[in-house]
């Protein structure tokens, strides 16, 4: 099971009547909202630096994944030029740069689900910004480190673009704090003459960024097209519009369908809605059709009062011409995309 994705039935068989007709299960069985991984994120917060890493900009990595590789080639930011001779990097292909969130590792499912989805497509260079060495410990301190990490990442990518990597297809995708980190990266690239075509935020981190107390959040000024998927708005994720096109699946708030309704704060289960953003993104990369409609708000959408608006795709195939707030429904478990039904 992927991180943050909870089965509604807890893995039990779906009940049937004597004729084999599936019966609707009214609610989940009562039980403690805990699992063997429940306190993983809390333990990571109490860890200053992941084992084997150092808390310095020099230990931030760009990890390059080939189409069939399970282990990436890794390059420190200062050594990024070596990527140009890497067989996994095709200068003619568009490049996706993905940044994970706070207290996450590049080996977590939140990263690998996205990597596998892009590998399945085979039409992108896949680069992961591994900043876990500066992403553990005190939340405030981590937030304050985002700007220098973003600037140095921008410098490294700028060098690659100058040496022939295609700037036209550059797409920055960040989850949670990673979205704000890539906002700084996009500004750094623009300052060096490389405006970013697209920046995607997957439930950008909320505390300390809205308003901008700790650091400047990602914004519409960071790229030609900025799209945002909200899944825990007002909780761990941004509570309001942050892009040119903002998508609000299931109102964009907790609890997302299929997530446990009662959870202990900061536990693995409590992040279920926040993590749905990357699960939806990975599914869209793999071909899932998340159709939405622009609407005034979710209630108006549910009342069917936005039917005159054309349906619009959420995810990798979102049109760069989209502007406004878009609403949709999803399934409670993977595959989440409902196609046209999700926009009804």
């Amino acid at each position: 099971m992927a991180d943050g994705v909870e089965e509604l039935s807890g893995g039990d068989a779906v009940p049937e009547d004597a004729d084999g007709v599936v019966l609707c299960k009214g609610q989940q069985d009562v039980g403690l909202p805990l699992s063997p991984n429940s306190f993983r994120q809390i333990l990571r917060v109490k860890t200053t630096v992941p084992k084997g890493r150092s808390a310095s900009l020099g230990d931030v990595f760009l990890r390059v994944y080939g189409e069939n590789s399970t282990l990436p080639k890794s390059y420190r930011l200062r050594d990024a030029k070596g990527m140009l001779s890497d067989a996994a990097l095709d200068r003619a292909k568009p490049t996706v740069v993905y940044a994970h969130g706070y207290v996450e590792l590049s080996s977590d499912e939140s990263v690998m689900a996205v990597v596998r989805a892009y590998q399945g497509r085979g039409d992108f260079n896949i680069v992961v910004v591994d900043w876990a060495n500066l992403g553990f410990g005190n939340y405030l301190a981590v937030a304050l480190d985002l700007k220098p990490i973003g600037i140095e990442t921008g410098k490294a990518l700028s060098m690659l673009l100058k040496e022939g990597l295609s700037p036209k297809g550059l797409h920055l995708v960040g989850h949670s704090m990673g979205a704000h980190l890539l906002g700084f990266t996009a500004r750094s690239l623009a300052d060096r003459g490389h405006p970013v075509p697209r920046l995607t935020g997957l439930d950008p981190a909320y505390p300390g960024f809205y308003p901008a107390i700790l650091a400047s959040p990602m914004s519409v000024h960071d790229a030609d097209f900025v799209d945002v998927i909200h899944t825990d708005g007002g909780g761990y994720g941004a509570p309001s519009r942050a892009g040119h096109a903002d998508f609000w699946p299931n109102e964009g708030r907790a609890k997302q369908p299929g997530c446990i309704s009662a959870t202990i704060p900061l536990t693995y289960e409590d992040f279920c809605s926040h993590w749905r953003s990357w699960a939806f993104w990975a599914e869209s990369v793999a071909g899932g059709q998340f159709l939405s409609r622009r609407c005034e708000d979710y209630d108006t959408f549910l009342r069917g009062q936005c039917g005159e608006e054309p349906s619009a795709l959420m995810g990798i195939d979102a049109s760069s011409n989209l502007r406004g707030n878009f609403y949709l429904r999803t399934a409670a478990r993977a595959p989440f995309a409902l196609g046209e039904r999700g926009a009804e």
Side-chain angles (χ1 to χ4, degrees), residues 1-4 37 40-45 50 53 63 65 70-72 98-117 119 128-133 135-136 175-176 268 271 275 278-279 282:
M1 187 185 302
D3 286 8
N37 286 323
R40 187 189 74 176
Q41 303 303 103
I42 296 174
L43 292 173
R44 288 182 175 184
V45 171
R53 302 291 294 276
R63 303 197 187 274
Y65 286 84
T70 54
L71 293 175
Y98 185 82
H100 59 77
Y102 173 58
V103 294
E104 290 190 319
L105 298 171
S106 63
S107 57
D108 284 347
E109 185 65 11
S110 56
V111 177
M112 294 312 302
V114 174
V115 168
R116 289 193 298 269
Q119 287 178 318
V128 172
V129 182
D130 180 353
W131 61 286
N133 64 308
F136 276 47
H175 172 246
S176 194
Y268 185 90
F271 284 97
W275 286 340
W278 58 255

Side-chain angles (χ1 to χ4, degrees), residues 247-266:
F247 296 89
W248 303 84
N250 312 302
E251 200 176 13
R253 306 183 188 281
K255 300 291 187 178
Q256 287 287 312
C259 292
I260 297 173
S261 59
T263 55
I264 297 172
L266 300 177

Side-chain angles (χ1 to χ4, degrees), residues 93-334:
K93 283 185 178 181
T95 300
V96 60
V97 177
Y98 185 82
H100 59 77
Y102 173 58
V103 294
E104 290 190 319
L105 298 171
S106 63
S107 57
D108 284 347
E109 185 65 11
S110 56
V111 177
M112 294 312 302
V114 174
V115 168
R116 289 193 298 269
Y118 277 101
Q119 287 178 318
R121 288 177 67 100
D123 55 355
F124 275 82
N125 294 314
I126 310 163
V127 179
V128 172
V129 182
D130 180 353
W131 61 286
N133 64 308
L134 294 171
F136 276 47
N138 184 277
Y139 182 91
L140 275 67
V142 171
L144 293 173
D145 277 338
L146 292 181
K147 184 175 182 178
I149 301 170
I151 290 173
E152 291 303 312
T153 302
K155 287 181 181 178
L157 294 176
S158 176
M159 182 275 302
L160 295 175
L161 294 172
K162 287 179 181 177
E163 294 293 329
L165 192 67
S166 173
K168 185 177 179 181
L170 183 63
H171 185 183
L172 309 184
V173 183
H175 172 246
S176 194
M177 264 200 196
H180 303 313
L181 186 157
L182 291 181
F184 285 114
T185 298
R187 291 163 221 163
S188 177
L189 281 165
D191 289 344
R192 289 165 174 76
H194 299 289
V196 173
R198 184 176 179 185
L199 168 64
T200 297
L202 305 179
D203 214 33
Y206 172 28
F209 296 94
Y210 302 94
I213 297 171
L214 298 177
S216 299
M218 63 172 290
S219 77
V220 294
H221 305 295
D222 296 333
D224 296 338
F225 177 54
V226 178
D227 58 318
V228 180
I229 297 176
H230 301 265
T231 54
D232 192 14
Y236 296 114
S240 56
R241 285 194 65 185
H244 294 109
D246 288 69
F247 296 89
W248 303 84
N250 312 302
E251 200 176 13
R253 306 183 188 281
K255 300 291 187 178
Q256 287 287 312
C259 292
I260 297 173
S261 59
T263 55
I264 297 172
L266 300 177
T267 57
Y268 185 90
E269 291 75 18
D270 196 45
F271 284 97
C272 178
S273 295
H274 190 43
W275 286 340
R276 279 296 164 84
S277 57
W278 58 255
F280 292 162
W281 183 262
E283 189 173 314
S284 81
V285 172
Q289 299 285 292
F290 291 89
L291 287 168
S292 66
R293 292 192 192 278
R294 186 170 64 177
C295 210
E296 179 181 348
D297 54 43
Y298 191 59
D299 183 63
T300 306
F301 166 76
L302 289 179
R303 292 173 183 270
Q305 296 175 4
C306 303
E308 74 284 354
E309 291 282 349
S311 58
L313 281 168
M314 176 187 84
I316 192 171
D317 292 321
S319 169
S320 61
N321 296 319
L322 295 177
R323 297 293 184 272
N325 289 310
F326 297 80
Y327 296 89
L328 67 153
R329 295 178 299 106
T330 72
R333 66 185 73 184

Side-chain angles (χ1 to χ4, degrees), residues 66-88:
E67 289 183 24
N68 301 309
S69 64
T70 54
L71 293 175
K73 297 284 186 66
S74 301
Y75 302 85
R76 287 186 167 85
L77 294 179
R78 64 175 179 268
D79 301 322
K81 192 172 183 177
M83 294 168 59
L84 295 169
S85 58
D86 194 319

